[in-house]
């Protein structure tokens, strides 16, 4: 069981300090919110820092990722960690987290976190799957134009003092076909922008999705590859998407077409892509993500794609705009506060999504029990047997995989009963984490 803030550490007089503002609902908070410690890494948005500080938490902020040993030391004593893509929260690292309640991934992906192990420790993980969609889509549009005009090569030549005014193999994008692999939030926005520039849009997704605008769904990945002048990948990292664009798929693409990948570094076989570019089969490529990426800014980046013709290489900056980072900061930080303060797991990645309506401001005798337990038969019966002697105003329970989540608002007559409930629920063998919120 992970050690968290326990009701036994709070004097009975705490009951008299419930929020009694004249509002319709009461704000829930953990005991002594000032004791909650947050570790933020990789220069996450200042908006996130402000939100977490305003919640009353202690916030430790770092502009860069920490090495493993430093991270293990820091994580021992914090209740939440915020990170981007470089920090790796493996089972080894998370095994040292004695108080950790939640992890905030201030980005789209969560493959940097061992999600199943985190869930088994009662650690809820949040991310921001939508907030940088526009930023990524705009980058792709820019790259389509840059590739069509060979502007990357022309710029490099000019910086080297070479004047090379050419029009051969340079094209307008109007009337060309953009193929989108993965028609999610980024893919749909990309399609709308591309159509506004006069492009035809086809897409392929494993899920049935409603087309937007004049775009057309393809029956297969192969159809997109063979018809599109530009192919852009927007899929998550899964075993099924690893090297989904390899030697075979690149050979299916039209001669003189272009490939863009701003999804995950494992989606495209980099060696096969380099070969297709150097042979002239592909007229260009833009790559923002790589199978292995440096942990810090500076020299040392190596890739077979370096110096390939008409190839744009960017350092994983698809969502790196001020607007996107602000929105991500607000979304993830707000999820962290809601989870810590009220137990709401809505938009969680590795937990069932649960929430309860707020407690009325006039109700000063109701507390919220939040419990994470192993998803096995009989646990709910044990919890409800404990709560049978109290007035349970509302409750909810759901599960995801091997972990179940339970929330209940319970009315108590005496603050001492809070400790009784807490001790009895935590004594259940299958208990992972139990919290009581006022």
């Amino acid at each position: 069981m992970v050690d968290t803030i326990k009701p036994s550490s709070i004097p009975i007089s705490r009951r008299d300090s419930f929020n009694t503002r004249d509002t319709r609902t009461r704000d829930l908070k953990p005991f002594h919110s000032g004791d909650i410690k947050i570790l933020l890494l990789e220069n996450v948005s200042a908006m996130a820092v402000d939100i977490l500080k305003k919640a009353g938490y202690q916030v430790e902020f770092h502009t860069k990722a920490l090495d493993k040993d430093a991270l293990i030391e820091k994580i021992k004593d914090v209740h939440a960690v915020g990170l981007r893509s470089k920090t790796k929260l493996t089972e080894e690292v998370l095994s040292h987290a004695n108080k950790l309640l939640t992890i905030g991934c201030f980005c789209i992906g969560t493959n940097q976190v061992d999600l199943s192990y985190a869930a088994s420790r009662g650690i809820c993980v949040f991310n921001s799957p939508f907030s940088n969609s526009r930023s990524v889509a705009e980058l792709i549009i820019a790259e389509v134009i840059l590739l069509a005009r060979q502007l990357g090569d022309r710029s490099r030549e000019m910086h080297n003092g070479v004047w090379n005014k050419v029009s051969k193999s340079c094209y307008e994008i109007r009337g060309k076909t953009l193929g989108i692999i993965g028609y999610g939030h980024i893919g749909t926005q990309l399609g709308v922008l591309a159509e506004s520039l006069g492009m035809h849009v086809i897409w392929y997704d494993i899920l049935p999705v409603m087309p937007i605008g004049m775009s057309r769904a393809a029956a297969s990945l192969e159809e997109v590859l063979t018809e599109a002048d530009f192919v852009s990948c927007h899929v998550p990292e899964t075993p099924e998407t690893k090297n989904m664009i390899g030697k075979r798929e690149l050979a299916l693409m039209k001669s003189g077409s272009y490939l863009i990948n701003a999804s995950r570094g494992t989606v495209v076989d980099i060696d096969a892509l380099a070969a297709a570019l150097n042979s002239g089969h592909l007229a260009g490529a833009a790559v923002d993500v790589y199978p292995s990426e440096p942990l810090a800014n500076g020299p040392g980046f190596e890739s077979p794609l370096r110096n390939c013709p008409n190839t744009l290489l960017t350092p994983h900056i698809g969502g790196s705009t001020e607007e996107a980072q602000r929105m991500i900061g607000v979304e993830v930080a707000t999820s962290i506060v809601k989870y810590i303060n009220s137990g709401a797991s809505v938009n969680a990645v590795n937990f069932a999504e649960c929430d309860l309506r707020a407690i009325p401001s006039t109700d000063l005798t109701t507390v919220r029990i939040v419990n994470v337990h192993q998803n096995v038969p009989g646990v709910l019966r044990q919890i409800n047997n404990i709560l049978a002697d109290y007035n349970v105003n509302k409750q909810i329970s759901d599960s995801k995989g091997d972990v179940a989540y339970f929330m209940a608002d319970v009315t108590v007559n005496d603050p001492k009963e809070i400790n009784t409930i807490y001790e009895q629920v935590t004594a259940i063998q299958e208990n992972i984490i139990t919290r009581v919120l006022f």
Side-chain angles (χ1 to χ4, degrees):
M1 172 187 162
V2 177
D3 179 30
T4 59
I5 298 176
K6 301 179 177 62
S8 58
S9 65
I10 309 304
I12 298 302
S13 60
R14 168 63 177 162
R15 181 172 180 266
D16 298 326
S17 64
F18 285 164
N19 185 348
T20 57
R21 294 180 301 165
D22 187 20
T23 57
R24 296 181 60 186
T25 58
R26 198 179 83 223
D27 291 339
L28 288 171
K29 288 187 177 181
F31 300 104
H32 292 325
S33 59
D35 290 339
I36 297 292
K37 297 180 180 179
I38 313 291
L39 176 64
L40 298 180
L41 306 172
E42 302 182 61
N43 200 31
V44 302
S45 169
M47 294 288 289
V49 179
D50 290 342
I51 290 171
L52 295 167
K53 285 185 175 179
K54 287 178 180 178
Y57 308 150
Q58 299 179 45
V59 178
E60 181 178 344
F61 176 82
H62 294 264
T63 58
K64 298 181 180 180
L66 300 178
D67 63 52
K68 187 174 72 173
D69 291 340
L71 182 59
I72 286 174
E73 188 61 33
K74 290 286 186 183
I75 208 170
K76 292 178 181 178
D77 195 40
V78 298
H79 300 89
V81 174
L83 51 88
R84 295 176 72 181
S85 58
K86 293 179 181 178
T87 300
K88 307 300 180 185
L89 293 183
T90 62
E91 178 177 341
E92 178 186 2
V93 173
L94 291 174
S95 66
H96 295 272
N98 300 316
K99 300 179 180 179
L100 196 61
L101 298 174
T102 181
I103 296 167
C105 297
F106 288 79
C107 51
I108 292 178
T110 56
N111 54 298
Q112 67 273 44
V113 179
D114 189 326
L115 296 176
S116 59
Y117 182 75
S120 73
R121 294 287 303 276
I123 302 168
C124 189
V125 180
F126 297 98
N127 70 335
S128 181
F130 317 130
S131 293
N132 67 358
S133 300
R134 177 71 182 198
S135 296
V136 177
E138 287 188 4
L139 176 69
I140 302 305
I141 289 295
E143 290 176 333
V144 167
I145 296 173
L146 289 169
L147 291 172
R149 300 294 298 274
Q150 301 180 5
L151 292 183
D153 286 357
R154 297 295 86 77
S155 177
R156 182 170 60 243
E157 290 164 355
M158 292 290 283
H159 279 286
N160 291 332
V162 177
W163 183 276
N164 186 21
K165 183 178 179 179
V166 296
S167 59
K168 183 180 179 180
S169 300
C170 295
Y171 307 97
E172 294 181 355
I173 66 170
R174 179 179 53 178
K176 305 301 188 296
T177 298
L178 172 65
I180 301 173
I181 303 172
Y183 198 62
H185 290 273
I186 295 174
T188 51
Q189 288 214 29
L190 174 59
V192 170
L193 292 175
E195 284 190 350
S196 71
L197 293 171
M199 301 188 77
H200 305 294
V201 176
I202 62 172
W203 52 269
Y204 174 71
D205 199 292
I206 60 173
L207 299 175
V209 185
M210 178 68 71
I212 295 179
M214 298 297 293
S215 68
R216 174 173 61 86
S220 65
L221 172 63
E222 288 75 14
E223 182 179 347
V224 172
L225 295 174
T226 56
E227 290 190 19
D229 300 297
F230 297 84
V231 175
S232 188
C233 302
H234 301 282
V235 297
E237 182 179 66
T238 67
E240 292 75 23
T241 63
K242 184 175 183 180
N243 288 334
M244 70 178 299
I245 305 297
K247 183 178 181 180
R248 170 185 170 275
E249 289 73 24
L250 292 168
L252 289 174
M253 292 179 64
K254 294 166 63 173
S255 177
S257 60
Y258 308 83
L259 179 70
I260 300 172
N261 183 27
S263 57
R264 287 290 173 260
T266 57
V267 169
V268 175
D269 183 330
I270 297 296
D271 290 321
L273 176 57
L277 289 164
N278 288 320
S279 70
H281 174 61
L282 293 188
V287 179
D288 187 51
V289 289
Y290 309 88
S292 179
E293 298 181 357
L295 292 177
N297 292 341
F301 172 72
E302 295 293 338
S303 173
L305 297 174
R306 288 181 60 187
N307 299 314
C308 285
N310 198 25
T311 301
L312 304 173
L313 302 181
T314 50
H316 203 147
I317 57 171
S320 297
T321 63
E322 294 287 349
E323 294 88 349
Q325 292 309 306
R326 282 197 298 269
M327 288 190 290
I328 290 171
V330 171
E331 182 179 0
V332 178
T334 300
S335 294
I336 290 173
V337 172
K338 286 183 176 179
Y339 182 72
I340 293 175
N341 285 6
S342 71
S345 62
V346 178
N347 297 324
V349 179
N350 64 335
F351 266 35
E353 298 184 55
C354 294
D355 196 7
L356 290 175
R357 68 181 183 274
I359 299 172
S361 60
T362 55
D363 184 355
L364 303 182
T365 60
T366 297
V367 297
R368 178 164 293 176
I369 310 299
V370 177
N371 171 262
V372 185
H373 58 266
Q374 298 171 26
N375 184 25
V376 296
V379 180
L380 281 181
R381 181 177 66 247
Q382 296 180 70
I383 295 176
N384 284 317
N385 285 341
I386 294 169
L387 301 180
D389 293 331
Y390 304 93
N391 181 27
V392 178
N393 299 311
K394 51 188 178 292
Q395 69 178 41
I396 187 172
S397 181
D398 201 353
S399 62
K400 187 170 186 177
D402 296 328
V403 175
Y405 194 55
F406 173 87
M407 300 170 65
D409 287 349
V410 182
T411 297
V412 296
N413 296 315
D414 187 328
K416 294 180 181 178
E417 294 173 337
I418 301 172
N419 287 322
T420 300
I421 294 172
Y422 175 85
E423 291 170 359
Q424 290 178 343
V425 174
T426 55
I428 295 174
Q429 183 178 354
E430 296 83 3
N431 173 73
I432 298 175
I433 285 181
T434 297
R435 297 191 291 141
V436 182
L437 306 175
F438 281 80

